[in-house]
């Protein structure tokens, strides 16, 4: 089983070229799209997508992720083996959020031309290097056969959380298609609260903590623990991101209120 | 074989999380997307999509449909067994248009935690309840094992058709990507006519009945029996919905003309 | 293995109806989407998508492509057998760019009703004629069983390249999702040059030839050999098409400069 996460979009033939390359090597592989609508070159968004989806796939899955602004430069290409799965992609941090959660066992460079397409282009390593690597892993080739082991992968620094004076400071990790605001603050931090004070952009808001969207009135705001375990700000059947005019990367501050 | 119909979009990892949950239970299931671009919370559009696609799938298929504004509320979760297939989703009407066409045999609630993910979130029953249910059905678990039988499912009332003084009054069921206007009026009603008078928004139009788009001049309007059997208003290679400024839910009146 | 290329979009149930029709005939077929986001009725774009993806699929693949403004008219429906694969679609040129590259062996009309759905609509041959044909080919039915052989398929004339006074005149074949400008000029023509003079819209530009996007400064322009082997104009991490305000079909002139 091989999953695919890219910023290639669905309008171009690039994703199909990758799938053709995979199926030419491993004709019986099951291919599942995570998303191909990552914003162009947005490694953080790609990392978040992959980390959200990977936990739900069976042991032994191969996760291919290509958001690769540095294609053709000196950036390395890698395979990461964890306790549950394999991750294949550029060494720019996109794989690490998901891989670290599963426990990394070893990381190897993809330098063995035996596991690439015969002609490697300068601009499309997704098709010429990463897709074949995923297909050979799926067929049982060992991670160590792809190239030398490395110990210094590029690690992302997606806004860690700070605490001061009872206030939790984090950032917006993602705005989903419903306009829900997913933060990087663990949902456990607010699970026991009934009400929080929230700073978003310039505004300061008092919002009730709920278990689910439908617990509030239509278009009212709630704070809840989203399906990924993170603190989420949402409206019931409307877009919180539009109402509060925020975007991924913006700062968020949360204080628990005693009611 | 499992089909998926949702309003989750393709940009977020939600669909992939559902597919991972399915494949973790039933690794050899064939997964087919009907669409994930249903307008958010638009149960009617989801019901129409599912009813359009379901007849073309083999007997025994499991159809999973999640447009679920009430997730986490008291709305029930159900499996509907018909003579041809299984339908899984919230009890808000989304399944019924397709299921009724096939002949409903039994409906059961999805209340047995044995067939859910170990951790059920409050906000994402698509992944935690519906996807596992579809996977277990695909593996042969009987509908009756999921929970008690129910006899009062929520049934949608998507504008029934009225007749008076030789005039058929219905509504617009869907505007497709080509801008074709699909009504809820059976195509058989006009199949023998050569010309109809049509009321759309405020306008009254006389339009020829044709068998196919290409039978008229470029950008001219035709009335025809669409591929789903409904009366459709279309332009040859242009958008009828843009020209006539209409949307799903709008009223339509048709009178047959003798020419 | 069957690939699908259409202009149906992903919002409507049309693609799923085609897949259901295929799987009802050939339940174990592997289905791969090339794209369903071809601009409506844009046969050239469909032909380019198919020709880009087809070379990467295994021998014996069946490629189904439906961009079909003439559906229901007298245009023929065909299967093209090449040395590597089968191509199924309308006889309007969409199949020929890909098929000619592989070496055409024979072309047959799809006229045998035995290999269509029992009810053929006037408006959706994708589902009723092309999808079943692809499924039967995948099951091993011979091309000759579908109908009489033909020798005069419609061939597209997607801007051939001219040369005069050291200048190569071609056109823009496609703008990809990154805004890269793909021309119909073979990359081999410029592979040895270091700098070219390029006429795009009204502007005349001197641009360096590079091997990869990352070889230039952020947002600077480069000319390179794209992953499909064509000359491409790109910006490093930005949209060349937006900067130079061009679209598919526009003329391009290239002169090699001695630096």
């Amino acid at each position: 089983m091989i999953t695919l996460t890219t910023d290639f979009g669905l309008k171009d033939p690039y994703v199909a070229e990758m799938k053709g390359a995979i199926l030419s090597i491993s004709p019986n592989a099951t291919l599942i799209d995570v998303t191909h609508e990552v914003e162009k070159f947005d490694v953080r968004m790609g990392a978040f997508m992959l980390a959200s989806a990977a936990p739900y796939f069976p042991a032994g899955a191969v996760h291919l992720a290509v958001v690769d602004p540095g294609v053709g430069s000196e950036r390395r290409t890698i395979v990461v083996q964890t306790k549950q799965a394999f991750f294949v992609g550029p060494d720019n941090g996109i794989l690490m959020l998901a891989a670290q959660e599963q426990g990394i066992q070893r990381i190897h460079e993809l330098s063995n031309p035996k596991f690439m397409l015969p002609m490697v282009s300068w601009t499309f390593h997704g098709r010429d290097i990463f897709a074949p690597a995923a297909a050979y892993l799926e067929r049982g080739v060992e991670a160590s056969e792809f190239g030398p082991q490395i110990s210094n992968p590029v690690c992302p620094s997606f806004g860690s959380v700070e605490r001061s004076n009872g206030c939790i400071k984090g950032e917006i990790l993602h705005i989903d298609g419903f306009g829900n605001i997913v933060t990087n603050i663990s949902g456990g931090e607010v699970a026991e609260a009934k009400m929080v004070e929230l700073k978003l952009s310039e505004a300061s808001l008092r919002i009730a903590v709920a278990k689910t969207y439908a617990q509030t009135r239509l278009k009212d705001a709630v704070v809840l623990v989203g399906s990924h375990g993170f603190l989420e700000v949402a409206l019931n059947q409307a877009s919180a991101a539009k109402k509060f005019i925020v975007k991924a990367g913006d700062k968020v501050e949360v204080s628990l209120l005693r009611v």
Side-chain angles (χ1 to χ4, degrees), chain A:
Chain A
M1 193 170 305
I2 299 174
T3 78
L4 299 97
T5 305
T6 77
D7 63 350
F8 296 158
L10 292 172
K11 200 163 186 168
D12 282 308
Y14 301 134
V15 172
E17 293 176 38
M18 290 177 67
K19 290 181 178 175
I22 290 171
L23 294 170
S24 294
I25 293 164
S26 180
N28 297 317
T30 297
L31 304 182
I32 301 290
D33 299 309
V34 172
T35 181
H36 301 290
E37 303 289 354
V38 173
E39 298 293 335
K40 302 293 184 205
F41 313 122
D42 188 338
V43 172
R44 175 172 63 187
M45 182 172 168
F48 174 72
M49 294 293 152
L50 184 59
S52 298
Y56 294 95
F57 283 87
V62 179
H63 301 288
L64 177 54
V66 189
V67 178
D68 194 9
V71 60
S73 73
E74 292 299 306
R75 69 93 184 81
R76 295 176 296 192
T77 56
I78 58 174
V79 50
V80 182
Q81 182 172 357
T82 70
K83 288 175 190 161
Q84 280 183 52
F86 298 91
F87 294 86
V88 172
D91 179 27
N92 63 13
I94 190 172
L95 309 177
M96 301 308 283
L97 205 60
Q100 282 168 343
E101 279 177 23
Q102 297 191 355
I104 294 175
Q105 292 186 323
R106 56 202 308 167
I107 306 178
H108 286 265
E109 270 198 83
L110 302 174
S111 54
N112 188 342
K114 187 172 148 191
F115 302 118
M116 302 175 184
L117 290 200
M119 294 278 292
V120 174
S121 71
W122 284 86
T123 55
F124 194 5
H125 289 179
R127 178 190 68 197
D128 303 337
I129 296 178
F130 299 125
Y136 284 112
L137 283 163
E138 203 270 340
R139 277 177 47 175
V141 172
E142 299 282 342
S144 58
E145 296 188 54
F146 287 85
Q149 192 161 5
I150 69 166
S151 56
N152 58 346
V154 172
C155 283
S157 59
F158 302 138
S160 53
V161 168
E162 285 174 37
R163 275 170 199 75
S164 65
N165 301 329
C167 175
I168 311 161
K169 299 181 182 186
E171 69 175 44
I172 297 176
L173 211 47
H174 179 58
I175 307 293
D176 80 6
F178 292 87
N180 299 327
I181 301 166
V182 183
T183 74
N184 67 342
I185 298 169
S186 164
E189 306 254 15
V190 298
E192 303 302 313
K194 292 209 170 130
M195 182 75 73
V196 298
E197 181 158 344
L198 197 69
K199 278 195 193 161
L200 270 179
S201 336
E202 297 304 299
S204 204
L205 308 152
R206 296 166 71 97
I207 304 183
V209 179
K211 283 214 159 51
T212 181
Y213 308 119
Q215 263 180 319
T216 185
R217 286 179 305 177
L218 214 62
K219 313 222 169 173
D220 267 12
V222 282
V223 162
L224 45 71
V225 183
S227 61
H228 312 100
F230 291 115
L231 185 152
E232 203 175 295
V233 186
L235 302 190
N236 185 7
Q237 299 190 38
S239 168
K242 274 194 191 157
K243 176 162 183 180
F244 300 124
I245 316 177
V246 293
K247 61 182 191 307
D250 284 1
K251 299 296 171 201
V252 180
E253 289 185 33
V254 181
S255 311
L256 309 193
L257 297 177
R258 282 164 234 293
V259 190

